[in-house]
Amino acid sequence: MKRILSPLNRLEGDLTVEIDIDGGVVRDARVSGVMYRGFERIMRNRYPEDALVYTPRICGICSVSHSVAASRALEAICEEINISSDGMIARNIVHAVETVMSHVTQFYLYLVPDMLSDTFSLNGFKDLIAERMGYGGSSFKKIFAERKRFLEILGIVAGKWPHTLAIHPSGVTKSLNLSDVIRIKGVLESFVDVLEETLYGVELAKLVEISNEDQLLDYAESMDSDLSIFIKFCRKADILDLGKGPGNFICGGAFYDGDNYLFRPGVVLNGSVKDFDPFKVKESIENSFFNATKEVETPFDDFSEPFPYKKGAYSWVKAPRYSGHVVEVGPLARLVISERSLFKDLFTKYGSTVYTRVMARIFEAAYILLALRKWLDKLSFGNNYFGDYKLKSKGTGVGITEAARGLLMHWLCVENGVIKNYQVISPTTWNCSPRDDMDNPGALEMALMGVPAEDGDLSYVNLVIRSFDPCLVCSVH
Amino acid sequence: MKNLFYVHGLGCCGDSISMFNAEEPDFFKALDIAGINVLWHPSLSNIQDNALKELVSDIIRGEREVFIFAVEGAVPLGFDGEGSAYEFCGYNFVDLVRKIASVSRYVVAIGTCAAFGGIPASKGNPTSSTGLQYRGDVFGGALGKDFVSKGGLPVVNVPGCPAHPDWIVETFVMLAGEKLKAEDLDYANRPLLFYNSLAHHGCPRNEFYEFKSSAEQFGQMGCLFEFLGCRGTQCESDCNVRLWLGRTGSCPRGGFPCISCTSQVFPTFGTRFFKTEMVGNIPRFLPRDVPKAWYIGISSLAKMATPERLKVNSVSPYPVYPLRKVKR
């Protein structure tokens, strides 16, 4: 039985999922992005710096990561650049707040409602979840009340959000003073208090000591927190293996503080960790509504044109592959590549599943919040947080960073002082890609195959989709 | 309860995100105050798939009343004039918008894309996108010049990229209470309450502006108008009085120029960002309502009168004069 799910709610943008159900199980899945805006065409012939205005507006939920990627792409084509180290830290602070907020919001607003399906009533356990974590529940209320205060950090450092223009090559446009930083610390600690009270149940520093699944289960048994409820939910509902992705990962490296990455770049292919080489990325348009105009060696010379009437195509999302491999990106990819021991353990046991993906999102928020504290103490005062830079009139550069949802790349090609080509490869382009030229399904398509769907019950399918935290507005730029 | 039906067209969801950032009242409180029931919003509702399609057809048949129909994102008329660039609930988006608008009491365009076309409709416009009732500064758009909703108003435009949370929730509260009349809208059908001032008002750099002491690069304290492309003196909004995110920020407070994102022609101004375009040594776009000759006269006088304190501080990231030795 074929079933087309459209439109789907509680995700960013528009996603259509077509599934083939046979014997109560999803046998095949096709995932489509159903909207086209044409950012890459709009960007052509504009001044390179205009990318700082346009590209964040690809996405309202992860606009800062586009600012960071665009800045990095511009930094890669500088004739001269004088980087402000304080500016880089301030950039991380803005990017971190956006990422943490995205993770927390996604969990409560987008994922939890799927746990509240009648399929998972689990002898009344569902009611407990609803009372605490559901819309208007006790944790939900506390977190959303505090969320608006947490945003003040973005107001102080970045003026406004979404769509700040504070992030530029070489640094940020505002030089912070001590008064700003003291206020930021106050706001940060209030937010941490609320998360410790609701989501984590323990202090962040204690939480991140959990380094394997046994310790995790001890924590889940002994602590009263939304995280422990989620862990129990996965066990009671028997979904630890649900929604298995390809198990290949990329992380482009995130939160570089001048010395180190908080999450280092790398690739996991068939179980082994390798260095990440951006030039091994290629986008297939076999099943996407695009026609090639010339041979594409790298995304720099991808000038493919939209063609909505293409036979056989089913998505506005292209299909990026790494050396031909289907890859998943996101918090789990970052934590496995950065060899966080808890996630090495979970990944070895379960692979990439609903359980491990969501766990990674929740734990990553804690890792980032702890880093935020450190960055605030590293800031110095008295220097300009904007360095300075001068662009070349011709050149190519790749801007790489990690958005909340995973690897984000901006491929910039400049000629005669204007943009000749601009290609954006966003996280959901990887996760929600259609089939490629070898007919390999994308990561979400793969994860949906084998998922139970008896009598048209889509509860499991919904959980798998939301576990990827899809952001279609990014992928159909 | 008055039903709100909220859809996304060609946009980034940024206005919804901004709306959820509302503080006083916050989004959920604002709904209580206004007596609004969210019939559907893509991030808030549990209705999806076939259930949503049924809801949509109930609305179109007049079986479910929509009091406020809010659209975020531009409306594509492409490809080939059919609007197939975006399909929603089995309709080309433009057809769905026309149908629901015709049965709704009020229609609101949230954000610059929905109001005027914004980025998807900017130069190049590969999807032939438009705003609901304007394409840039040309009246008409997807719904046409003659469109008036059942409540007697044209499309109420709440532009901004994103729109300030207050602008959105307060517009909902005003509409739900039947408090917004045609005379409360400006030339672009924006509520005067928010757009009848300039972003320049309340800018902390105003003293630098008055004396034409300008920042030469980012991160410095001076005025951003002369060199760094600030349009605060031309942009109609109350950003610098109202402030953003817990009343902590605004564009110039964040150190970057206003890019006039509430404007009908945003982002296609025919010039670049971050650099003030000059004709001779006069900026091509002058502060609103200031005649060129007066601008030249006043600014050269102001330059002669600039206090040393402003000259020094304008090119410094922190106030250095007169307490600290000048550091460049």
Side-chain angles (χ1 to χ4, degrees):
Chain A
M1 184 187 75
K2 261 207 195 328
R3 180 83 166 75
I4 297 173
L5 310 178
S6 169
L8 289 163
N9 62 339
R10 285 185 285 109
L11 36 82
E12 304 301 328
D14 278 277
L15 177 72
T16 292
V17 174
E18 185 184 322
I19 48 176
D20 235 329
I21 304 170
D22 187 19
V25 170
V26 176
R27 300 292 171 190
D28 196 9
R30 278 168 190 262
V31 171
S32 338
V34 287
M35 175 180 102
Y36 173 75
R37 279 180 295 170
F39 264 83
E40 290 163 346
R41 286 182 70 188
I42 290 172
M43 300 290 296
R44 279 182 213 157
N45 295 318
R46 292 184 193 273
Y47 292 103
E49 297 93 328
D50 288 3
L52 299 170
V53 174
Y54 280 82
T55 61
R57 288 170 165 84
I58 289 173
C59 177
I61 187 86
C62 52
S63 71
V64 167
S65 40
H66 285 282
S67 301
V68 172
S71 298
R72 284 177 170 262
L74 291 167
E75 281 165 3
I77 56 161
C78 279
E79 202 171 289
E80 292 164 45
I81 183 161
N82 164 26
I83 299 246
S84 157
S85 53
D86 290 315
M88 290 299 133
I89 297 171
R91 188 191 273 188
N92 279 352
I93 292 169
V94 177
H95 194 181
V97 170
E98 179 179 271
T99 306
V100 168
M101 204 152 45
S102 176
H103 286 353
V104 174
T105 309
Q106 201 273 342
F107 179 66
Y108 286 96
L109 208 55
Y110 294 176
L111 186 101
V112 166
D114 288 328
M115 296 161 63
L116 299 176
S117 152
D118 287 337
T119 308
F120 309 121
S121 59
L122 309 171
N123 299 322
F125 193 62
K126 179 188 139 181
D127 301 330
L128 172 73
I129 300 176
E131 275 163 30
R132 289 181 58 141
M133 297 144 76
Y135 191 84
S138 55
S139 300
F140 184 98
K141 274 191 183 154
K142 281 182 200 151
I143 285 176
F144 281 85
E146 198 57 32
R147 178 186 179 273
K148 62 187 180 190
R149 187 130 80 98
F150 190 48
L151 287 161
E152 289 178 11
I153 300 178
L154 297 178
I156 295 164
V157 190
K160 72 166 188 176
W161 180 84
H163 307 336
T164 172
L165 293 171
I167 294 166
H168 278 248
S170 85
V172 296
T173 55
K174 179 169 174 184
S175 308
L176 297 173
N177 63 33
L178 190 54
S179 188
D180 295 325
V181 171
I182 292 170
R183 183 164 178 186
I184 292 170
K185 284 185 175 176
V187 173
L188 171 64
E189 294 310 322
S190 303
F191 188 68
V192 168
D193 284 347
V194 170
L195 287 188
E196 287 176 347
E197 197 184 310
T198 52
L199 181 58
Y200 297 127
V202 288
E203 285 183 14
L204 296 182
K206 272 259 168 289
L207 182 87
V208 301
E209 283 174 7
I210 298 173
S211 62
N212 58 47
E213 202 193 16
D214 290 343
Q215 290 173 9
L216 183 73
L217 295 179
D218 286 346
Y219 157 87
E221 282 312 313
S222 58
M223 289 301 161
D224 177 34
S225 70
D226 296 345
L227 172 58
S228 60
I229 290 177
F230 176 75
I231 297 167
K232 286 178 194 156
F233 168 83
C234 291
R235 303 200 152 250
K236 284 176 197 276
D238 195 18
I239 58 160
L240 295 172
D241 295 315
L242 181 71
K244 221 169 206 139
N248 296 328
F249 293 131
I250 306 181
C251 170
F255 303 117
Y256 187 70
D257 67 2
D259 302 316
N260 292 301
Y261 286 101
L262 180 61
F263 303 118
R264 68 179 177 83
V267 180
V268 173
L269 287 181
N270 307 323
S272 61
V273 184
K274 297 185 174 73
D275 285 343
F276 170 52
D277 173 5
F279 289 92
K280 289 189 173 155
V281 172
K282 270 193 184 147
E283 286 190 296
S284 160
I285 53 169
E286 183 73 20
N287 290 295
S288 316
F289 297 113
F290 292 94
N291 277 342
T293 49
K294 55 180 263 199
E295 189 71 15
V296 177
E297 273 299 310
T298 67
F300 290 130
D301 40 39
D302 180 355
F303 289 91
S304 48
E305 291 290 316
F307 186 61
Y309 313 107
K310 182 166 160 183
K311 272 220 155 57
Y314 63 94
S315 183
W316 282 106
V317 179
K318 295 178 184 174
R321 297 291 184 258
Y322 187 83
S323 299
H325 294 277
V326 180
V327 172
E328 180 180 331
V329 297
L332 180 62
R334 291 195 280 265
L335 299 185
V336 169
I337 289 165
S338 285
E339 302 188 321
R340 300 274 171 163
S341 48
L342 171 62
F343 287 90
K344 269 176 80 176
D345 191 30
L346 291 176
F347 177 62
T348 314
K349 287 190 174 117
Y350 305 102
S352 74
T353 65
V354 170
Y355 172 56
T356 52
R357 263 174 228 127
V358 176
M359 291 292 289
R361 202 166 290 123
I362 296 174
F363 268 85
E364 192 185 67
Y367 298 138
I368 295 173
L369 286 166
L370 287 171
L372 246 173
R373 277 187 184 150
K374 282 194 195 146
W375 293 328
L376 286 168
D377 286 329
K378 275 182 93 171
L379 287 171
S380 64
F381 311 104
N383 299 312
N384 196 338
Y385 280 27
F386 176 84
D388 203 4
Y389 68 95
K390 190 168 182 282
L391 296 178
K392 290 189 269 196
S393 62
K394 185 174 191 240
T396 53
V398 198
I400 299 170
T401 189
E402 287 280 316
R405 292 156 183 77
L407 173 68
L408 173 63
M409 302 206 252
H410 284 198
W411 296 73
L412 167 67
C413 177
V414 171
E415 236 175 66
N416 302 319
V418 295
I419 295 170
K420 185 178 174 213
N421 195 13
Y422 205 105
Q423 292 287 316
V424 175
I425 307 180
S426 71
T428 302
T429 314
W430 291 91
N431 289 341
C432 293
S433 72
R435 279 157 171 76
D436 55 32
D437 347 8
M438 309 299 287
D439 212 33
N440 291 315
L444 172 58
E445 292 181 333
M446 207 178 262
L448 282 168
M449 291 176 201
V451 169
E454 279 192 58
D455 305 322
D457 175 11
L458 300 171
S459 309
Y460 294 95
V461 168
N462 276 320
L463 263 180
V464 172
I465 294 170
R466 304 285 168 1
S467 74
F468 279 90
D469 187 7
C471 177
L472 268 293
V473 290
C474 273
S475 40
V476 297
H477 45 267
Chain B
M1 291 296 263
K2 289 159 177 165
N3 283 334
L4 167 69
F5 189 76
Y6 194 121
V7 294
H8 284 158
L10 266 58
C12 67
C13 309
D15 296 295
S16 286
I17 302 291
S18 184
M19 180 170 86
F20 299 143
N21 295 350
E23 299 132 25
E24 298 302 342
D26 69 31
F27 176 65
F28 299 107
K29 266 286 177 291
L31 297 180
D32 288 347
I33 291 171
I36 291 173
N37 166 55
V38 180
L39 195 55
W40 196 75
H41 180 286
S43 318
L44 294 175
S45 308
N46 257 332
I47 303 170
Q48 64 175 15
D49 192 21
N50 290 341
L52 176 59
K53 286 178 185 154
E54 277 165 36
L55 174 63
V56 164
S57 70
D58 286 352
I59 291 170
I60 291 171
R61 284 202 312 270
E63 285 165 18
R64 286 301 280 275
E65 215 166 281
V66 172
F67 198 87
I68 299 174
F69 175 39
V71 180
E72 172 178 343
V75 182
L77 304 179
F79 301 102
D80 299 331
E82 289 174 348
S84 58
Y86 179 38
E87 199 188 294
F88 182 74
C89 281
Y91 291 94
N92 285 339
F93 187 67
V94 58
D95 297 330
L96 178 113
V97 165
R98 284 174 182 150
K99 281 182 201 289
I100 296 184
S102 71
V103 296
S104 302
R105 183 149 181 90
Y106 295 112
V107 180
V108 189
I110 307 285
T112 305
C113 294
F116 310 126
I119 285 191
S122 66
K123 212 174 108 197
N125 196 351
T127 51
S128 305
S129 277
T130 172
L132 287 185
Q133 208 170 11
Y134 278 93
R135 184 171 186 157
D137 52 5
V138 181
F139 194 46
L143 295 178
K145 285 180 192 162
D146 298 329
F147 175 81
V148 177
S149 71
K150 284 165 100 181
L153 292 182
V155 174
V156 175
N157 289 324
V158 187
C161 195
H164 191 288
D166 293 354
W167 304 341
I168 306 173
V169 298
E170 290 179 23
T171 300
F172 288 166
V173 173
M174 287 192 290
L175 287 173
E178 303 277 12
K179 293 266 187 335
L180 195 69
K181 307 287 173 218
E183 61 268 25
D184 301 324
L185 301 176
D186 73 359
Y187 67 90
N189 289 336
R190 302 173 296 189
L192 285 161
L193 188 59
F194 319 122
Y195 300 96
N196 197 17
S197 49
L198 298 176
H200 176 58
H201 302 160
C203 177
R205 296 169 193 250
N206 275 355
E207 193 190 18
F208 294 101
Y209 170 82
E210 285 157 18
F211 286 99
K212 290 282 150 294
S213 38
S214 301
E216 289 165 9
Q217 58 158 236
F218 292 118
Q220 300 174 342
M221 295 174 65
C223 176
L224 303 168
F225 170 69
E226 197 177 2
F227 302 121
L228 296 173
C230 186
R231 294 170 178 275
T233 55
Q234 299 134 38
C235 172
E236 289 130 349
S237 81
D238 59 9
C239 289
N240 263 303
V241 173
R242 191 176 288 274
L243 301 183
W244 293 67
L245 306 175
R247 322 291 153 182
T248 55
S250 70
C251 297
R253 277 161 218 256
F256 52 90
C258 165
I259 55 171
S260 201
C261 68
T262 61
S263 157
Q264 291 178 306
V265 293
F266 174 81
T268 309
F269 298 104
T271 179
R272 69 195 303 172
F273 293 100
F274 308 124
K275 199 170 175 172
T276 304
E277 193 183 332
M278 305 296 262
V279 180
N281 54 2
I282 311 296
R284 184 173 143 208
F285 298 99
L286 290 176
R288 203 184 146 139
D289 308 328
V290 178
K292 193 172 169 186
W294 278 110
Y295 178 83
I296 297 170
I298 291 170
S299 58
S300 51
L301 265 177
K303 281 201 173 181
M304 283 190 266
T306 308
E308 186 63 16
R309 172 176 57 85
L310 296 181
K311 275 188 199 162
V312 172
N313 284 346
S314 64
V315 290
S316 160
Y318 298 94
V320 290
Y321 187 90
L323 299 173
R324 230 190 276 168
K325 208 176 160 212
V326 177
K327 183 174 161 190
R328 283 181 199 269

